[in-house]
Amino acid sequence: MAASSPILASNMATPPPPPPPLPMMPSKGSVSAPPRNGAAPPPPPLPMMPSQGSVPTPTPPTKPLKNGAAPPPSAPLLGPRRPTARLKRSAQMGTLYRTLRKKMEGTNQEGPIQEGKSSQAKRGLTGNSNGEKQGMADTIAEMTKKSAYFQQIEKDVKQHAKSIMEVKAAITAFQTKDMTELLKFHKYVESHLEDLVDEGQVLARFEGFPTKKLETLRTAAALYLKLDAVVTHLKIWKVVAPLSQLLDRIEPYFNKIKREVEAFERTKDEEAKKFHSHSINFDFKIIVRIKESMVDISSSCMELALQERKEIEAVEKKETGGSKAERATKEGNTKLLWRTFQFAFRVYTFAGGQDDRAERLTRELAFQIESCLQHQ
């Protein structure tokens, strides 16, 4: 057979290899490693598919923080307030209360003390003003000129002008940190303004009258009088038997004073700034005196409870019968002792501490309660 021609031989040669795969485009923001010796980089591995029926673990959501700030710390636990100068924190009061509560109420929970239900209604006043037409304004102005009421205002302006100018200068220059002086000056101001038919209308006729300072002066005087009246009331409180009736009277009053004092303490800094801006340095030590007086009453209640307990023990020694009535009386007295201790603990928490007298009486009262429980 004749040899194949060169052209036929070239047509029967092996076909050329396929072109290389296109290089993978890098994702946005990624940096690919440079290929070695011109070789294309290997393709990325395929993602692993979850097995049938499996559920991928979700990534817990994280709260974004501004400027990389650390998360805020957890809120501190609320406890007794800071003790005052005479009162101090007790190392035993909390332990005694929890121990006795567990024995008396059969619970180990240390939840907050229930102080009764209280509700405060929040009321908002909304007004709607449509304005007045010029014709009505002119009519009111004409009526004002003929009104006996406004004529009396003009008369007061002329008649009391001298004394009002004296009061204006006195209020402007007034500054004090003595509450007795504050009350005395307040009385002086009121004596000059009480006869005006319409104080606001009259004082508005005197340019530059310190109306805001006058309002602040009255607010400070009224507040101090109110708080001082509480101290006086607590000082003269009669602690007399029977104990149960005494507690029925003092506990509601304590709840009322506690709410008012705590509400005042929440705004005390704001009130202090307002008073100070008008040169009045309010004596907030009056709050300390209220707390000390309440601790004194609590101690007197504990003394009365211990005295009544001694009287019951004296009767028990004479009568050894042990009737059902006697056992009921003993059980009722134990509950009354516990109620007195609870009241003392609430006063201690409110005041932020207690003095040496209250410290001693709480120990004695706790001992008596435990002794009664053992003999029941």
Side-chain angles (χ1 to χ4, degrees):
M1 178 181 286
S4 301
S5 65
I7 297 176
L8 182 59
S10 62
N11 292 335
M12 296 178 62
T14 305
L22 294 175
M24 297 183 64
M25 297 301 293
S27 60
K28 187 177 180 182
S30 65
V31 179
S32 59
R36 296 183 181 179
N37 300 327
L46 295 176
M48 296 183 65
M49 299 299 293
S51 60
Q52 187 174 1
S54 64
V55 179
T57 304
T59 304
T62 57
K63 185 178 181 180
L65 300 177
K66 296 182 179 179
N67 300 327
S74 57
L77 296 177
L78 298 178
R81 294 171 180 77
R82 255 195 276 100
T84 60
R86 194 189 96 184
L87 309 179
K88 58 186 178 181
R89 292 289 299 275
S90 172
Q92 66 170 5
M93 193 62 176
T95 303
L96 289 175
Y97 177 80
R98 288 189 294 269
T99 302
L100 294 175
R101 182 180 182 184
K102 181 178 179 180
K103 293 182 178 181
M104 292 295 299
E105 301 178 0
T107 177
N108 196 24
Q109 298 178 356
E110 300 180 9
I113 305 170
Q114 300 295 332
E115 300 184 10
K117 298 181 180 179
S118 63
S119 60
Q120 296 180 351
K122 299 181 179 180
R123 300 178 180 178
L125 300 179
T126 59
N128 186 12
S129 176
N130 296 325
E132 296 179 355
K133 296 182 180 180
Q134 185 63 34
M136 182 172 292
D138 295 340
T139 303
I140 293 177
E142 185 65 24
M143 292 174 60
T144 299
K145 294 179 182 179
K146 299 180 180 179
S147 170
Y149 176 74
F150 283 95
Q151 290 177 2
Q152 182 62 43
I153 290 175
E154 296 297 334
K155 182 180 178 181
D156 284 348
V157 170
K158 297 177 181 179
Q159 183 177 351
H160 300 283
K162 183 179 179 179
S163 63
I164 290 176
M165 292 302 294
E166 292 176 355
V167 170
K168 174 185 174 181
I171 294 176
T172 303
F174 180 74
Q175 55 182 353
T176 187
K177 58 181 179 181
D178 185 354
M179 296 298 98
T180 302
E181 183 181 356
L182 171 69
L183 298 178
K184 183 178 179 181
F185 182 74
H186 173 253
K187 187 176 181 180
Y188 158 78
V189 171
E190 297 296 349
S191 66
H192 285 76
L193 301 180
E194 61 186 3
D195 293 331
L196 302 179
V197 64
D198 189 323
E199 178 184 296
Q201 292 286 344
V202 173
L203 297 182
R205 304 294 201 280
F206 294 85
E207 183 178 358
F209 192 92
T211 306
K212 290 186 177 180
K213 188 169 183 177
L214 173 60
E215 294 174 356
T216 304
L217 171 69
R218 286 170 167 167
T219 301
L223 177 61
Y224 190 83
L225 285 173
K226 179 181 180 180
L227 296 176
D228 187 64
V230 174
V231 175
T232 303
H233 191 59
L234 292 174
K235 291 288 186 184
I236 63 175
W237 193 286
K238 294 183 179 180
V239 180
V240 293
L243 177 61
S244 59
Q245 295 182 10
L246 173 63
L247 292 176
D248 289 340
R249 294 193 305 271
I250 190 60
E251 285 180 333
Y253 184 74
F254 167 72
N255 293 336
K256 175 178 176 293
I257 297 304
K258 180 176 180 292
R259 286 192 301 268
E260 293 178 355
V261 170
E262 288 178 346
F264 173 71
E265 287 182 328
R266 286 192 292 269
T267 61
K268 184 176 70 173
D269 294 340
E270 182 181 348
E271 294 292 334
K273 290 180 182 179
K274 183 176 70 174
F275 294 150
H276 186 71
S277 66
H278 294 288
S279 303
I280 299 175
N281 294 320
F282 193 86
D283 183 13
F284 291 101
K285 292 181 181 179
I286 188 72
I287 299 296
V288 176
R289 294 199 289 274
I290 290 178
K291 294 179 178 180
E292 290 176 348
S293 300
M294 190 60 72
V295 170
D296 290 339
I297 287 191
S298 170
S299 298
S300 298
C301 290
M302 287 190 285
E303 285 182 340
L304 182 59
L306 293 171
Q307 179 182 348
E308 289 188 355
R309 177 59 193 167
K310 289 180 181 179
E311 294 174 357
I312 292 177
E313 288 179 347
V315 173
E316 290 176 350
K317 290 180 180 180
K318 293 180 180 180
E319 301 177 1
T320 58
S323 62
K324 292 183 179 181
E326 292 177 357
R327 288 195 296 270
T329 301
K330 185 184 298 184
E331 182 178 352
N333 181 254
T334 304
K335 292 181 179 179
L336 190 58
L337 295 178
W338 169 235
R339 180 183 174 186
T340 307
F341 192 94
Q342 285 180 302
F343 174 65
F345 182 78
R346 293 179 59 207
V347 172
Y348 163 77
T349 306
F350 163 71
Q354 58 188 10
D355 54 13
D356 295 337
R357 177 193 176 202
E359 184 83 358
R360 172 180 56 82
L361 289 170
T362 52
R363 284 198 302 265
E364 294 181 12
L365 188 59
F367 176 79
Q368 285 292 335
I369 294 173
E370 292 185 339
S371 177
C372 291
L373 293 175
Q374 291 175 359
H375 291 83
Q376 283 183 1

Coordinates of all heavy atoms in Angstrom, one line a residue, residues 316-351:
E316 N -48.7 33.6 134.1 CA -48.5 32.1 133.8 C -47.9 31.4 135.0 O -48.2 30.2 135.3 CB -47.6 32.0 132.6 CG -48.3 32.4 131.3 CD -47.4 32.3 130.1 OE1 -46.2 32.1 130.3 OE2 -47.9 32.4 129.0
K317 N -47.0 32.1 135.8 CA -46.4 31.5 136.9 C -47.4 31.2 138.0 O -47.3 30.2 138.8 CB -45.2 32.4 137.4 CG -44.0 32.4 136.5 CD -42.9 33.3 137.0 CE -41.7 33.3 136.1 NZ -40.6 34.2 136.6
K318 N -48.3 32.1 138.2 CA -49.3 32.0 139.2 C -50.4 30.9 138.8 O -50.8 30.1 139.7 CB -50.1 33.3 139.5 CG -49.1 34.4 140.1 CD -49.9 35.6 140.3 CE -49.0 36.7 140.9 NZ -49.8 38.0 141.1
E319 N -50.7 30.8 137.6 CA -51.7 29.9 137.1 C -51.1 28.8 136.3 O -50.5 29.1 135.2 CB -52.8 30.6 136.3 CG -53.5 31.7 137.1 CD -54.5 32.4 136.3 OE1 -54.7 32.0 135.1 OE2 -55.2 33.4 136.8
T320 N -51.0 27.6 136.8 CA -50.4 26.5 136.1 C -51.3 25.5 135.4 O -51.0 24.4 135.0 CB -49.5 25.7 137.1 OG1 -50.3 25.2 138.1 CG2 -48.4 26.6 137.6
G321 N -52.6 26.0 135.3 CA -53.6 25.1 134.7 C -53.3 24.8 133.2 O -53.5 23.6 132.8
G322 N -52.9 25.8 132.5 CA -52.6 25.5 131.0 C -53.9 25.3 130.2 O -54.0 24.4 129.4
S323 N -54.9 26.1 130.5 CA -56.2 25.9 129.7 C -56.0 26.4 128.3 O -55.0 27.0 127.9 CB -57.3 26.8 130.4 OG -57.0 28.2 130.3
K324 N -57.1 26.1 127.5 CA -57.0 26.5 126.1 C -57.0 28.0 125.9 O -56.4 28.5 125.0 CB -58.3 25.9 125.4 CG -58.2 24.4 125.3 CD -59.5 23.9 124.5 CE -59.4 22.4 124.3 NZ -60.6 21.9 123.5
A325 N -57.7 28.7 126.8 CA -57.7 30.1 126.7 C -56.3 30.7 127.0 O -55.9 31.7 126.3 CB -58.7 30.7 127.8
E326 N -55.6 30.1 127.9 CA -54.3 30.6 128.2 C -53.3 30.3 127.0 O -52.5 31.2 126.7 CB -53.7 29.9 129.5 CG -54.4 30.3 130.7 CD -53.9 29.6 131.9 OE1 -53.0 28.7 131.8 OE2 -54.3 29.9 133.1
R327 N -53.5 29.2 126.4 CA -52.6 28.9 125.2 C -53.0 29.8 124.1 O -52.1 30.2 123.4 CB -52.9 27.4 124.8 CG -52.3 26.4 125.8 CD -52.2 25.0 125.1 NE -53.5 24.5 124.8 CZ -54.2 23.7 125.6 NH1 -53.7 23.5 126.8 NH2 -55.4 23.3 125.3
A328 N -54.2 30.2 123.9 CA -54.6 31.1 122.9 C -54.0 32.5 123.1 O -53.6 33.2 122.2 CB -56.1 31.2 122.7
T329 N -54.1 32.9 124.4 CA -53.5 34.2 124.8 C -52.0 34.2 124.5 O -51.5 35.2 124.0 CB -53.7 34.5 126.3 OG1 -55.2 34.5 126.5 CG2 -53.2 35.8 126.7
K330 N -51.3 33.1 124.8 CA -49.9 33.0 124.6 C -49.6 33.1 123.1 O -48.6 33.8 122.7 CB -49.3 31.8 125.2 CG -47.8 31.6 125.1 CD -47.3 30.3 125.7 CE -47.7 30.2 127.1 NZ -47.1 28.9 127.7
E331 N -50.3 32.4 122.3 CA -50.1 32.4 120.9 C -50.4 33.8 120.3 O -49.6 34.3 119.4 CB -51.0 31.4 120.2 CG -50.8 31.3 118.7 CD -51.6 30.2 118.1 OE1 -52.3 29.4 118.8 OE2 -51.7 30.1 116.8
G332 N -51.4 34.5 120.8 CA -51.7 35.8 120.3 C -50.6 36.8 120.7 O -50.3 37.7 119.9
N333 N -50.1 36.6 121.9 CA -49.0 37.5 122.3 C -47.7 37.3 121.4 O -47.0 38.3 121.1 CB -48.6 37.3 123.7 CG -47.5 38.2 124.2 OD1 -46.4 37.8 124.4 ND2 -47.9 39.5 124.4
T334 N -47.5 36.1 121.0 CA -46.3 35.8 120.2 C -46.5 36.5 118.8 O -45.5 37.1 118.3 CB -46.2 34.3 119.9 OG1 -46.0 33.6 121.2 CG2 -44.9 34.0 119.1
K335 N -47.7 36.4 118.3 CA -47.9 37.1 117.0 C -47.8 38.6 117.1 O -47.3 39.3 116.2 CB -49.3 36.8 116.5 CG -49.5 35.3 116.0 CD -50.9 35.0 115.5 CE -51.0 33.6 115.1 NZ -52.4 33.3 114.5
L336 N -48.2 39.2 118.3 CA -48.1 40.6 118.5 C -46.6 41.0 118.6 O -46.2 42.1 118.2 CB -48.8 41.0 119.8 CG -49.0 42.5 120.1 CD1 -49.7 43.1 118.9 CD2 -49.8 42.7 121.3
L337 N -45.8 40.2 119.3 CA -44.4 40.4 119.4 C -43.7 40.4 118.0 O -42.9 41.3 117.6 CB -43.7 39.4 120.2 CG -44.0 39.3 121.7 CD1 -43.3 38.2 122.4 CD2 -43.7 40.7 122.4
W338 N -44.2 39.5 117.1 CA -43.6 39.4 115.8 C -44.1 40.7 115.0 O -43.3 41.2 114.2 CB -44.1 38.1 115.1 CG -43.9 38.1 113.6 CD1 -44.8 37.8 112.7 CD2 -42.6 38.2 112.9 NE1 -44.2 37.8 111.4 CE2 -42.9 38.0 111.6 CE3 -41.3 38.5 113.3 CZ2 -41.9 38.1 110.6 CZ3 -40.3 38.6 112.4 CH2 -40.6 38.4 111.0
R339 N -45.3 41.1 115.1 CA -45.8 42.3 114.5 C -44.9 43.5 114.9 O -44.6 44.4 114.0 CB -47.2 42.5 114.8 CG -47.8 43.7 114.1 CD -49.3 43.9 114.5 NE -49.8 45.2 114.0 CZ -51.1 45.6 114.3 NH1 -51.8 45.0 115.1 NH2 -51.5 46.8 113.8
T340 N -44.6 43.6 116.2 CA -43.8 44.7 116.6 C -42.4 44.7 116.0 O -41.8 45.7 115.6 CB -43.7 44.7 118.2 OG1 -45.0 44.6 118.7 CG2 -43.0 45.9 118.7
F341 N -41.8 43.5 115.9 CA -40.5 43.3 115.3 C -40.5 43.7 113.8 O -39.6 44.4 113.3 CB -40.0 41.9 115.5 CG -38.5 41.7 115.2 CD1 -37.6 41.8 116.2 CD2 -38.1 41.5 113.9 CE1 -36.2 41.7 115.9 CE2 -36.8 41.4 113.6 CZ -35.8 41.5 114.6
Q342 N -41.6 43.3 113.1 CA -41.7 43.7 111.7 C -41.8 45.2 111.6 O -41.1 45.8 110.7 CB -43.0 43.1 111.1 CG -42.9 41.6 110.9 CD -44.2 41.0 110.3 OE1 -45.2 41.1 110.9 NE2 -44.1 40.5 109.1
F343 N -42.5 45.9 112.5 CA -42.6 47.3 112.4 C -41.2 48.0 112.6 O -40.8 48.9 111.9 CB -43.6 47.8 113.4 CG -43.7 49.3 113.5 CD1 -44.1 50.1 112.5 CD2 -43.3 50.0 114.7 CE1 -44.2 51.5 112.6 CE2 -43.4 51.4 114.8 CZ -43.8 52.1 113.7
A344 N -40.5 47.4 113.6 CA -39.2 47.9 113.9 C -38.2 47.8 112.7 O -37.4 48.6 112.4 CB -38.6 47.2 115.1
F345 N -38.4 46.6 112.0 CA -37.5 46.4 110.9 C -37.8 47.4 109.7 O -36.9 47.8 109.0 CB -37.7 44.9 110.4 CG -36.8 44.6 109.2 CD1 -35.5 44.3 109.4 CD2 -37.3 44.5 107.9 CE1 -34.6 44.0 108.3 CE2 -36.5 44.2 106.9 CZ -35.2 43.9 107.1
R346 N -39.1 47.6 109.5 CA -39.5 48.6 108.4 C -39.0 50.0 108.8 O -38.5 50.7 107.9 CB -41.0 48.6 108.3 CG -41.5 47.3 107.7 CD -43.1 47.3 107.6 NE -43.4 48.4 106.7 CZ -44.6 49.1 106.8 NH1 -45.5 48.7 107.7 NH2 -44.9 50.0 106.0
V347 N -39.0 50.4 110.0 CA -38.5 51.7 110.4 C -37.0 51.7 110.3 O -36.5 52.7 109.8 CB -38.9 52.0 111.9 CG1 -38.2 53.3 112.4 CG2 -40.4 52.1 112.0
Y348 N -36.4 50.6 110.6 CA -34.9 50.6 110.4 C -34.5 50.7 108.9 O -33.6 51.4 108.6 CB -34.4 49.2 110.9 CG -33.0 48.8 110.5 CD1 -31.9 49.4 111.0 CD2 -32.9 47.8 109.5 CE1 -30.6 49.0 110.6 CE2 -31.6 47.5 109.0 CZ -30.5 48.1 109.6 OH -29.3 47.7 109.1
T349 N -35.3 50.1 108.0 CA -35.0 50.2 106.6 C -35.3 51.6 106.1 O -34.5 52.1 105.3 CB -35.9 49.2 105.8 OG1 -35.7 47.9 106.4 CG2 -35.5 49.2 104.4
F350 N -36.3 52.2 106.6 CA -36.7 53.6 106.2 C -35.6 54.6 106.7 O -35.2 55.5 105.9 CB -38.0 53.9 106.8 CG -38.3 55.4 106.8 CD1 -38.6 56.1 105.6 CD2 -38.4 56.1 108.0 CE1 -38.9 57.5 105.7 CE2 -38.7 57.5 108.1 CZ -38.9 58.1 106.9
A351 N -35.2 54.4 107.9 CA -34.2 55.4 108.5 C -32.8 55.1 108.0 O -31.9 56.0 108.1 CB -34.3 55.3 110.0

